[in-house]
Amino acid sequence: MSSLLKNRLQEERKQWRKDHPYGFFAKPEKSADGSLNLQSWTAGVPGKDNTIWENATYPLTITFPNDFPSKPPKVRLPAGFYHPNVYPSGTICLSILNEDQDWRPGINLKQILLGVQELLDTPNPDSPAQEPAWRAFGKDRALYEKKVIEQAKKYAKAG
Amino acid sequence: MSRVEGLKCVLGDDTYRKIRNAKVLLVGAGGIGCELLKDLILLGYSEVHVVDLDTIDLSNLNRQFLFRHKDIKQPKASTAVNAVQSFNFFKTKLVPYQASIYETDLFPMSWFEQFDLIFNALDNIQARSYINKVALLLNKTVMESGTTGTNGQAQPTFPYHTECYDCLHRETPKTFPVCTIRSTPSQPVHCIHWAKSFLFTSLFSEDDEPVVQPEGKDTGELGTDNQQEIANLISENNELVELKRSIASEDFVDKVIAKVFTKDIENLLKISDLWKTRKQPTPLEYNNQIKEKVLKISKEEIGTGQREWTLEQNLKVFIDSTLALQKRIAIEKEIEFDKDDEDTLNFVASATNIRSHIFSIPLKAKFDIKSIAGNIIPAIATTNAIIAGFSALLSLKQFDESYENRIQNSKAVFTVSNSDKFVSPSMLQSPNPKCATCSAVRGVAHFDTSKTLNDLLGALQSTYGLDEEISLSLGSNLLYDIDFDDNVEKTLKEMGIVDGVLLNVADETDKYQSVKGGDLKLPDIKMAEKPPVEEKEENDQDDEEDGVELINDNDDDLLIVDVKEATSPDKRKAKAQDYDDTHVTKKPKTDSEIEIVE
Ligand SMILES: [Zn+2]
């Protein structure tokens, strides 16, 4: 493993620990020996208030590849997540997570998660990743909103 | 004049004497390695150890001049060593190893310590980077060399004094976004990635992580409430998984063609927004009539793949290679892509071209696809010989009187083909202060792994004046930070801090944030009798102590602890964990000093 990767992942943990946006969480997964695996995180992104995504926290998994930060992390929502720019597997089609588009090694976890939050309510119809949500978003907005609100209930914040 | 007299004349008595006593390591016995081995014995080095894991391949013979046709499949290291015996005029002792340099059982840190110099003759970044770390740990000079086509470079690296291998930012190999590969290819290389990393991997390899992650693999995680939509969405991938299940069936290849070159393309066309600004793909037309015509194509017509194939010829190759792979997978269970494995290369080359045809992308000859898919950089014997020669010549400077002189007198040498001066020297660069590998301060200490994490924290704090806001991690595993103290009562051993692992200790207070360029100067101290952690432990010192290596990072007071087990000198032997940063050395107790270097 490269020193760059180690140093950077420690930095990500430290930065997040010291400062993260309200309503978000992000933590490395626990390994069998009780240590935390800094290459594999789980996180939660709250839907923005006053949008059809509100009152829910959407779970993400974030995997940092060995060549991070040259390469972006893989960020996934649950498989089958309903959103025009989310693949059936849950992989998110977001330009800042795309090495050939807007990924820069300086982009940190906070920016990524804020980017995902932003994408939720502002899908990009030019970059379809799944058919149902993309189709409904373009052609049957009422159906789209109904599905999104149903999904928000599924991921509703506890309490 | 005898050869010895001649060599003395050339080198001077002093260098001659030193070189006749010098023991060096040569890592790699390939293109540069063969040349370098010849050069080193002709310079009269006393002892050369040669490490190479590879065996000789037909394709090596055009430039690795120590090998002959009869040597194919023989180990490179021992074959090279035997080949040079006929001109081993100065009776250089030669020791070959057919092994991976990463094997810490065979090559622990203590083994590297015996060498006066390390010559790298490697062809990959990973191994160079590994030797770089070894050199930084042991403070060894490395003679680095490398060539790409007519470009080459040779230079010594002096740990912490001149730039290290990792100081230069190295481009990682290009990968492409899933969207481009899966839906909207526009260059041959996109189709090659699709054929190699998606199609081939999905059908013939069990690899969980193909280079381009196909989406939709984890269908097991699906929620149940919107099953209907999901079923439709993931069908493309499910069909491929389904197809793989029928890999033994007779019409497998027809099914593959119908799905990936026709049906999937038709489905893509339905997403009309994709094609507003792009040329639409044309699904492959494939039926029994076309199939019959294709199957009639002869082997002669296909040829060796130097020139481009027509669409029909590509289909023929695709069918034949799929049938061959189908047969093999029944026995081999999974097959990895290998540019030298004709079946896998034919499959990838033909699939690439059929897809290129569909997307109106120029077709490529198999030969070209091979070099792209196999990431082949052409190797030229002449460049290797020139660069190896310079590496050997530059090594003579390493026998100059003082370390400062050696650095002063050393140069980097590089070749540039498109200038009127083919070979140019350049000054050695200073280390890059941002280099994550060498912009650090290191040292070695010892402790007992039955102590708890808390003991270690206390020791680090009291020794280095850190407060409790530090973090401890092994590789990318975090063991402790101020918000994660679950493990403090566990022993170091339980947390994996055992023989030879590198432990990072980072200050997280931002105290040193404003201090750049390693201004946190830990003095050049030697603490053989009082390693830092041992101070905390009163009476339980025994032979099973562990060494610590401390590294200070330029902006975060990062310490890396390399745990080393110390034993009595007669028990000099080592074992290790097998990852990148792991080193184990059982050192004689007298070696167990802390040395903190900038
Ligand atoms: Zn460096």
Side-chain angles (χ1 to χ4, degrees):
Chain A
M1 180 185 316
S2 79
S3 315
L4 192 61
L5 174 73
K6 282 186 296 203
N7 295 359
R8 176 59 188 270
L9 288 175
Q10 283 173 8
E11 188 63 21
E12 290 292 345
R13 159 80 177 175
K14 180 178 126 188
Q15 294 294 350
W16 184 266
R17 202 164 55 69
K18 294 194 169 183
D19 168 40
H20 60 260
Y22 178 76
F24 288 67
F25 73 86
K27 52 176 192 282
E29 275 168 25
K30 211 163 198 169
S31 315
D33 67 359
S35 65
L36 298 180
N37 181 357
L38 294 175
Q39 273 183 273
S40 179
W41 294 55
T42 52
V45 169
K48 281 191 186 169
D49 287 347
N50 307 316
T51 73
I52 51 175
W53 301 86
E54 69 181 349
N55 297 324
T57 303
Y58 301 96
L60 293 172
T61 60
I62 302 158
T63 312
F64 294 95
N66 288 334
D67 37 17
F68 177 80
S70 304
K71 299 243 168 95
K74 288 205 173 85
V75 181
R76 284 189 172 200
L77 281 153
F81 194 86
Y82 189 81
H83 188 282
N85 307 119
V86 177
Y87 281 102
S89 63
T91 299
I92 301 169
C93 212
L94 182 63
S95 69
I96 55 165
L97 296 175
N98 187 323
E99 196 194 355
D100 278 5
Q101 294 177 13
D102 298 331
W103 170 253
R104 298 289 172 271
I107 293 176
N108 65 20
L109 192 59
K110 178 171 149 184
Q111 290 165 309
I112 291 168
L113 296 185
L114 287 170
V116 171
Q117 188 193 40
E118 185 69 33
L119 180 74
L120 287 176
D121 195 50
T122 51
N124 177 2
D126 294 334
S127 188
Q130 60 166 269
E131 228 181 318
W134 176 78
R135 206 168 273 284
F137 183 75
K139 300 207 169 89
D140 187 352
R141 197 58 71 92
L143 173 71
Y144 176 77
E145 292 186 357
K146 181 173 153 270
K147 290 273 177 199
V148 169
I149 290 163
E150 267 172 31
Q151 178 169 260
K153 280 189 194 129
K154 182 175 161 189
Y155 297 113
K157 280 180 226 175
Chain B
M1 189 164 61
S2 73
R3 285 191 187 273
V4 169
E5 290 306 311
L7 191 59
K8 271 188 192 166
C9 274
V10 174
L11 299 179
D13 283 351
D14 189 50
T15 303
Y16 173 80
R17 190 173 40 76
K18 287 175 181 161
I19 214 165
R20 296 297 289 129
N21 282 308
K23 193 197 264 192
V24 299
L25 169 63
L26 171 59
V27 194
I32 298 178
C34 279
E35 294 286 343
L36 203 44
L37 180 60
K38 168 204 66 183
D39 297 340
L40 297 181
I41 67 164
L42 290 176
L43 278 174
Y45 273 96
S46 158
E47 197 170 326
V48 182
H49 292 231
V50 185
V51 179
D52 200 316
L53 177 63
D54 280 352
T55 53
I56 296 156
D57 191 73
L58 176 66
S59 63
N60 301 144
L61 299 186
N62 70 345
R63 62 188 186 285
Q64 298 176 18
F65 76 109
L66 296 174
F67 308 141
R68 296 292 175 270
H69 202 277
K70 65 173 167 50
D71 300 324
I72 288 172
K73 296 231 158 38
Q74 296 301 308
K76 286 187 174 179
S78 57
T79 309
V81 160
N82 291 334
V84 298
Q85 289 299 357
S86 65
F87 54 92
N88 188 0
F89 304 123
F90 306 105
K91 301 278 175 287
T92 298
K93 184 182 171 194
L94 297 168
V95 188
Y97 305 79
Q98 187 195 0
S100 160
I101 195 69
Y102 312 120
E103 259 183 55
T104 41
D105 273 349
L106 212 52
F107 307 125
M109 286 305 107
S110 58
W111 180 83
F112 285 97
E113 272 177 306
Q114 65 182 309
F115 299 110
D116 298 301
L117 268 179
I118 299 172
F119 288 86
N120 268 358
L122 289 160
D123 60 0
N124 67 81
I125 292 172
Q126 198 195 4
R128 284 196 176 99
S129 205
Y130 179 79
I131 293 292
N132 186 47
K133 278 184 195 136
V134 170
L136 287 165
L137 213 57
L138 300 176
N139 219 350
K140 296 273 178 203
T141 305
V142 178
M143 305 303 301
E144 181 59 78
S145 57
T147 68
T148 312
T150 55
N151 294 333
Q153 183 157 8
Q155 72 174 88
T157 62
F158 297 91
Y160 315 107
H161 290 82
T162 63
E163 73 184 0
C164 84
Y165 183 71
D166 289 341
C167 279
L168 298 161
H169 174 72
R170 262 157 252 282
E171 293 274 315
T172 48
K174 198 105 189 102
T175 60
F176 298 92
V178 177
C179 328
T180 307
I181 300 296
R182 291 288 302 275
S183 319
T184 56
S186 60
Q187 296 167 25
V189 69
H190 298 150
C191 295
I192 293 172
H193 273 264
W194 173 85
K196 176 185 158 190
S197 307
F198 175 66
L199 187 62
F200 180 86
T201 308
S202 303
L203 292 178
F204 301 111
S205 161
E206 304 249 299
D207 197 355
D208 285 339
E209 262 216 332
V211 179
V212 180
Q213 184 76 38
E215 44 90 13
K217 269 209 153 180
D218 47 0
T219 53
E221 295 172 25
L222 290 181
T224 48
D225 53 342
N226 47 0
Q227 198 72 25
Q228 234 180 329
E229 295 91 333
I230 298 166
N232 180 36
L233 292 172
I234 58 177
S235 63
E236 185 181 318
N237 263 84
N238 279 353
E239 281 165 22
L240 207 56
V241 175
E242 201 63 35
L243 256 185
K244 194 180 169 167
R245 285 200 199 110
S246 69
I247 200 155
S249 76
E250 231 167 84
D251 58 348
F252 176 67
V253 64
D254 293 334
K255 282 189 197 157
V256 173
I257 293 173
K259 175 182 159 45
V260 302
F261 297 128
T262 308
K263 191 172 166 252
D264 285 354
I265 307 298
E266 287 167 358
N267 286 342
L268 274 178
L269 282 170
K270 287 184 196 152
I271 311 177
S272 57
D273 268 27
L274 285 178
W275 315 111
K276 275 183 186 156
T277 56
R278 296 184 180 90
K279 192 172 182 327
Q280 289 199 2
T282 317
L284 180 75
E285 204 184 317
Y286 186 71
N287 51 38
N288 283 336
Q289 214 181 333
I290 296 172
K291 187 179 176 182
E292 246 167 67
K293 195 174 151 205
V294 163
L295 290 179
K296 282 194 190 117
I297 296 172
S298 69
K299 270 219 165 66
E300 288 66 44
E301 257 184 86
I302 302 290
T304 56
Q306 299 279 354
R307 53 170 183 80
E308 279 164 37
W309 293 322
T310 63
L311 178 63
E312 281 79 21
Q313 286 169 343
N314 274 299
L315 276 164
K316 166 73 173 162
V317 175
F318 186 80
I319 292 168
D320 287 353
S321 58
T322 306
L323 291 175
L325 290 167
Q326 241 182 306
K327 274 195 198 118
R328 282 174 52 186
I329 197 118
I331 305 155
E332 297 173 37
K333 296 284 178 272
E334 69 175 282
I335 303 170
E336 296 290 331
F337 173 80
D338 180 345
K339 65 180 176 10
D340 295 319
D341 177 335
E342 279 296 301
D343 295 333
T344 66
L345 179 62
N346 281 336
F347 179 92
V348 166
S350 56
T352 297
N353 279 331
I354 299 167
R355 186 166 171 88
S356 291
H357 175 85
I358 289 165
F359 284 90
S360 309
I361 295 165
L363 306 196
K364 286 266 175 191
K366 172 178 151 187
F367 185 76
D368 298 323
I369 290 170
K370 178 178 179 175
S371 54
I372 300 171
N375 299 320
I376 298 170
I377 302 157
I380 297 176
T382 320
T383 320
N384 284 345
I386 293 169
I387 291 304
F390 277 113
S391 179
L393 281 178
L394 290 167
S395 75
L396 299 178
K397 297 286 180 209
Q398 308 319 315
F399 300 99
D400 286 1
E401 215 40 75
S402 73
Y403 195 70
E404 281 65 38
N405 281 345
R406 289 175 210 163
I407 298 171
Q408 283 289 306
N409 298 337
S410 290
K411 290 258 180 333
V413 171
F414 56 96
T415 63
V416 195
S417 56
N418 56 1
S419 94
D420 48 355
K421 202 168 143 208
F422 183 65
V423 176
S424 309
S426 84
M427 295 296 291
L428 295 178
Q429 301 295 310
S430 301
N432 177 354
K434 287 189 180 146
C435 174
T437 308
C438 76
S439 64
V441 180
R442 312 171 170 236
V444 179
H446 299 264
F447 52 77
D448 172 359
T449 54
S450 64
K451 293 281 164 186
T452 63
L453 215 53
N454 241 346
D455 295 332
L456 174 60
L457 288 167
L460 287 165
Q461 286 158 9
S462 70
T463 309
Y464 293 105
L466 302 167
D467 69 17
E468 60 189 3
E469 206 173 337
I470 60 179
S471 76
L472 298 181
S473 51
L474 288 178
S476 59
N477 280 352
L478 185 74
L479 308 184
Y480 167 86
D481 71 22
I482 195 156
D483 287 345
F484 177 57
D485 58 3
D486 303 17
N487 297 317
V488 291
E489 297 303 330
K490 292 191 186 165
T491 66
L492 302 180
K493 206 175 274 172
E494 280 177 288
M495 291 316 295
I497 305 176
V498 292
D499 299 353
V501 294
L502 275 176
L503 176 67
N504 292 27
V505 183
D507 168 73
E508 302 209 323
T509 57
D510 292 340
K511 208 189 302 181
Y512 301 105
Q513 199 99 69
S514 59
V515 185
K516 289 282 175 193
D519 265 0
L520 178 77
K521 275 191 179 127
L522 290 172
D524 193 11
I525 45 169
K526 298 203 182 224
M527 292 194 267
E529 279 77 41
K530 273 192 174 182
V533 186
E534 235 172 50
E535 299 176 332
K536 296 285 289 182
E537 302 161 4
E538 293 90 349
N539 293 320
D540 62 2
Q541 298 176 4
D542 56 32
D543 280 343
E544 295 290 311
E545 294 153 348
D546 296 288
V548 183
E549 185 190 53
L550 308 166
I551 298 179
N552 178 50
D553 157 294
N554 62 328
D555 43 47
D556 244 342
D557 187 28
L558 178 84
L559 306 164
I560 295 182
V561 182
D562 182 21
V563 183
K564 293 182 178 179
E565 198 177 339
T567 56
S568 56
D570 53 315
K571 284 204 289 180
R572 201 182 245 272
K573 133 179 186 287
K575 69 178 176 63
Q577 283 68 38
D578 66 341
Y579 70 86
D580 186 332
D581 275 338
T582 304
H583 316 294
V584 175
T585 335
K586 291 195 182 178
K587 290 170 135 197
K589 222 168 173 178
T590 47
D591 284 3
S592 56
E593 61 205 11
I594 285 209
E595 199 174 313
I596 295 172
V597 210
E598 239 185 42

